[in-house]
Amino acid sequence: MAKSLFDEVALNAEITLQNRILMAPLTRCMADENLVPTEQMTTYYAKRAKAGLIISEATIIRADGQGYPNTPGLFTAEQIQGWQRVTKAVHNNGGKIFAQLWHTGRVAHPHFFNGNNVLAPSALKVEGTVPRMRELEYIEPTPVTVAQIEQLVKDYAQAASNAIDAGFDGVEIHGANGYLIDQFLHYNSNHRTDEFGGSPENMSRFALLVVDAISERIGAKRTALRISPGAYFNLEPHADDRAVFDYLLDSLSERELAYLHIGIFDDEQRFEYLGGRVSDYVRENYPHTLVGNGGFSAQSGELAINQGRFDLLAIGRPFIANPNYVERIKNGEELTPYSEEMLQELV
Ligand code: FNR
Ligand code: 8K6
C-alpha cells in the first residue's frame, strides 16, 4: 500500500508521531540576551504542533558553542525554564518536540561569550565573517585537548539531560552543517594525529562518544543524530571523507537511535565522492529510520518515501512561511512562498 505523509508512525516503542512530516531545525536568533526562549518563541512553536515532530532550532550546550546572536541555550536554569514553556505549549496542542543540541566549534565567535579563543579539532580557520555581523571575522581555533574533548562529551550529555528536564521528547544531536561534531568528520577541518584524527575510526570517535554518552543518559530511543556526509556549508569537501562516513554509518547501524537525519540544503546536489545524492548514499549504508530533507515539497517528499529513499520528511523554509504547513498540505491549500525577509520576525 502506498505510504502517505499523514500516516501515524512509531519511531520505536516509546515515541509515535502523528504523521511523517518533521519541522526541520531552523535557527531564528530570537532568544533573549540570556539565551532564554521568549514568549514569542513559545507561540511560534505551538502554532507548528501539527507536525509529526518539531525539531527545535539549534540550541547551544554551553557558552563557547555560540556562533550567532541570540541563539538559545540549554545550560542554565533560566534557559531550561524557558524551554519548559515551549514544550508545554507544543504538547498542549498535541505535538512532539526534540531539542537540537549544538556546539559550533570553529564557527563560534568569542564576541558572543567574552572569550579569547574558540575550540575545534585543529587550528584550521573557517574563512569569512559571521553572517549579519560582517565586522566579525572568524578566528583561528585552538585544537581541543583530549581532556577538553572528555569535558565536551559530558556537557553534551548534561544538555541532553537538561532537555528532558525541560520537557522535550528527545534530542537531535547536531552533527551536520560544518559545526563541531562535523568538523571532526571531515579532512578539511580535522588534521589531528591522535586518536581523534587520521583514520575513519579516529575521526568518527568524537561523534560516537557523544551519541553513546547521550544514549546512556536519556536512552537511545530518545536520541537522534543529524549528519552531513556531503560537505556544503562551513567546510570544503574531500574525497577521503567518504571512508569516514562509511565507518560512521556502519557504527550507527549497530545502534538503535530514534532516527538519522540528513543535513543538506538541496538534496538534488550531487557529490562525486558519495556517488550522487547524499540521501541515496546514506540509505545504502544505513538500515534504520532515515529522515530526508533539502528542497522537498510535500509531493516530492511523499514520492521519495514511496520510492524507499527515506522514511520521514523534514521541511524547513516552508514551515517559516507557513505556520500551518501541515493543515494547508492536508487541505490542498496553496502555500505562501518563503523569502529571506521572513527571517526578520517570528510569525
Ligand atoms: C537552517 N538549517 C538549520 N539546520 C540545522 O541543522 N540547524 C539549524 O539550526 C538550522 N538553521 C537554519 C536556519 C535557516 C534560516 C535556514 C533557512 C536553514 C537548515 C534546515 O534545517 C534545512 O536543512 C534546510 O532549510 C533545507 O530544507 P528546506 O528548507 O529545503 O525544507
Ligand atoms: C535572523 C535569523 C538569521 C539566522 C541566520 C543564521 C543561520 C544559521 C544556520 C543556517 C544554516 C543554513 C545553511 C545554508 C547553506 C547554504 C549553502 C549553499
Side-chain angles (χ1 to χ4, degrees):
M1 208 176 72
K3 289 177 176 162
S4 156
L5 286 180
F6 298 102
D7 296 336
E8 191 179 271
V9 269
L11 290 182
N12 50 48
E14 285 178 24
I15 304 174
T16 297
L17 309 182
Q18 58 188 333
N19 58 56
R20 293 181 190 275
I21 304 169
L22 276 55
M23 176 176 161
L26 294 159
T27 291
R28 299 303 309 268
C29 303
M30 298 281 184
D32 77 11
E33 68 279 9
N34 296 317
L35 313 186
V36 175
T38 61
E39 274 307 314
Q40 255 201 324
M41 285 168 65
T42 303
T43 309
Y44 162 87
Y45 282 111
K47 279 187 200 168
R48 288 159 172 86
K50 290 278 184 287
L53 180 66
I54 294 171
I55 306 158
S56 81
E57 62 203 279
T59 298
I60 55 172
I61 61 158
R62 59 186 223 184
D64 68 0
Q66 189 177 351
Y68 307 91
N70 301 90
T71 52
L74 253 174
F75 55 94
T76 70
E78 214 190 340
Q79 291 161 0
I80 296 170
Q81 281 160 15
W83 279 119
Q84 273 164 352
R85 292 190 285 274
V86 173
T87 61
K88 195 164 166 219
V90 170
H91 291 152
N92 283 344
N93 286 357
K96 289 205 162 70
I97 181 165
F98 272 31
Q100 194 189 46
L101 300 184
W102 197 24
H103 191 297
T104 63
R106 68 178 183 170
V107 188
H109 200 286
H111 167 80
F112 299 116
F113 47 90
N114 296 323
N116 40 36
N117 64 350
V118 302
L119 297 176
S122 301
L124 298 163
K125 136 182 154 84
V126 65
E127 289 308 321
T129 53
V130 177
R132 288 161 209 268
M133 302 190 73
R134 294 289 171 201
E135 74 281 13
L136 291 182
E137 238 186 79
Y138 289 120
I139 64 166
E140 183 175 299
T142 308
V144 268
T145 63
V146 171
Q148 286 172 325
I149 288 177
E150 286 165 3
Q151 188 58 49
L152 278 161
V153 172
K154 286 187 189 147
D155 292 339
Y156 271 103
Q158 186 57 48
S161 168
N162 294 347
I164 298 300
D165 289 348
F168 283 101
D169 297 284
V171 304
E172 176 179 290
I173 301 162
H174 196 344
N177 298 349
Y179 298 113
L180 180 64
I181 293 176
D182 204 22
Q183 287 159 27
F184 278 88
L185 295 168
H186 291 268
Y187 283 90
N188 173 252
S189 43
N190 185 347
H191 288 185
R192 294 177 78 96
T193 54
D194 64 0
E195 68 263 42
F196 290 95
S199 71
E201 183 177 0
N202 287 350
M203 290 168 74
S204 300
R205 193 177 309 282
F206 181 61
L208 292 170
L209 282 173
V210 173
V211 165
D212 290 343
I214 291 181
S215 301
E216 200 170 303
R217 189 73 79 92
I218 66 165
K221 290 189 170 59
R222 298 196 174 272
T223 305
L225 175 66
R226 191 174 212 196
I227 56 168
S228 293
Y232 77 104
F233 189 53
N234 298 315
L235 278 176
E236 295 299 322
H238 189 295
D240 293 343
D241 291 347
R242 163 68 180 257
V244 180
F245 282 91
D246 285 353
Y247 179 89
L248 179 70
L249 289 170
D250 260 2
S251 308
L252 292 171
S253 299
E254 293 163 10
R255 289 156 168 87
E256 302 265 329
L257 297 184
Y259 63 81
L260 184 65
H261 183 185
I262 293 166
I264 184 75
F265 226 66
D266 175 6
D267 191 46
E268 281 308 308
Q269 194 177 342
R270 261 64 175 180
F271 291 86
E272 207 172 305
Y273 67 96
L274 299 176
R277 290 188 291 223
V278 181
S279 56
D280 296 334
Y281 162 72
V282 176
R283 175 104 277 185
E284 276 163 30
N285 291 281
Y286 184 77
H288 308 306
T289 305
L290 183 61
V291 180
N293 168 247
F296 287 96
S297 64
Q299 291 76 7
S300 66
E302 191 171 67
L303 179 65
I305 289 172
N306 277 295
Q307 290 168 335
R309 292 180 46 208
F310 44 80
D311 308 294
L312 304 167
L313 173 67
I315 293 287
R317 289 162 288 183
F319 251 119
I320 292 177
N322 302 272
N324 55 350
Y325 178 83
V326 173
E327 297 92 318
R328 286 202 186 182
I329 292 296
K330 204 167 193 173
N331 300 331
E333 290 169 33
E334 216 167 293
L335 293 174
T336 304
Y338 166 82
S339 69
E340 272 195 15
E341 304 82 75
M342 293 176 177
L343 295 178
Q344 304 301 326
E345 61 170 339
L346 284 185
V347 174

